Amino acid sequence: MARKIIIDCDPGQDDAVALFLAFASPDELDLLAITTVAGNVRLDLTQRNARLMCDIAGKHDVPVYAGCAEPMSRALRTAEMIHGDTGINGIEVFEPETPLQSEHAVDYIIRMLLAADEASVTLVPVGPLTNIATAIDREPAILPHIEQIVLMGGAMREGGNRTPSAEFNILVDPDAADIVFKCGRPITQMGLDVTHQVLSTEDRVARIRALQNPVATATADMLRFFDRFDTKKYTSKGAPLHDPCTIAWLLKPELFEGKECNVSVETRSELTLGHTAVDFWQVTDRPLNVNWIYGVDADGFYDLLIERLDRFGA
Ligand code: BDR
Ligand code: CA
């Protein structure tokens, strides 16, 4: 039976590819809804961009909700310098047909989880954790209904991508991350240590473009734009494709290597705000709260992505 999931996102080119990968995998994943949050760009753009991806993929029936427009208790930081002013630069933006649901994403998450069986829904947050943490904070009774949380955020060996010690999603709302890391449900975490291994090299993007269907073309166009900042910053051949790692792990966990660790987040320091302290060598007695993913078969990951994107041409 397909696993029930919710993708909570802030599209973002890499968020968009995560959505496409999930859309293409209905045998394994039952995508109940897409919830959106402010992050890479403002909420009015992230919710529009999520609906736009539904349009491009012909998935008008997936409900899309808009959630929190600001982090729990801080000012919003966005990332237009990476994603462009629309959040999905690289493709032309239009007003999508896929409707926006009127309910707030946090109200939806609470209502849906309370009505779900125990441990039956997987949450996949690939942006700041504001929506998920607000739902947990407001209604802790949702927790037993969550099967697991598979998130993109944080870093250990790779340091930070927005400050020297913090990854963007965690930095934007460290208070929300703190609530999620302490929530007691199983967490699998894709930090920069693993996402920096799945580079969208020219060869890989060319393979995607060669599929010649609208979703693959949109993916290739977005990745070409997404590239320009990171390849300069990291002097790498291609940008990391962060968010789709979560969906790829749900589809093919055997592509990844992970270890149970404690992950805690810095919420106070001015210098290291949003840093994820990953106790990889168990030097503390803090509880093991995260399956910390540190390795991936990058060729296997792109083979999977390309095989799934090809389905949109069928
Ligand atoms: C994360 O931040 C965003 O820019 C990406 O969409 C990804 O979720 C990487 O640090
Ligand atoms: Ca994201």
Side-chain angles (χ1 to χ4, degrees), residues 144-165:
H145 302 269
I146 299 172
E147 181 188 4
Q148 60 181 331
I149 300 172
V150 184
L151 68 92
M152 191 279 136
M156 185 181 77
R157 297 200 173 99
E158 288 292 298
N161 61 354
R162 186 60 183 259
T163 72
S165 41

Side-chain angles (χ1 to χ4, degrees), residues 8-16 39-40 83 125-128 152 167-169 242-243:
D8 184 72
C9 57
D10 60 337
Q13 291 88 348
D14 60 325
D15 304 73
N40 287 324
H83 298 272
V126 293
M152 191 279 136
E167 181 279 329
F168 177 75
N169 288 342
H242 307 282
D243 294 345

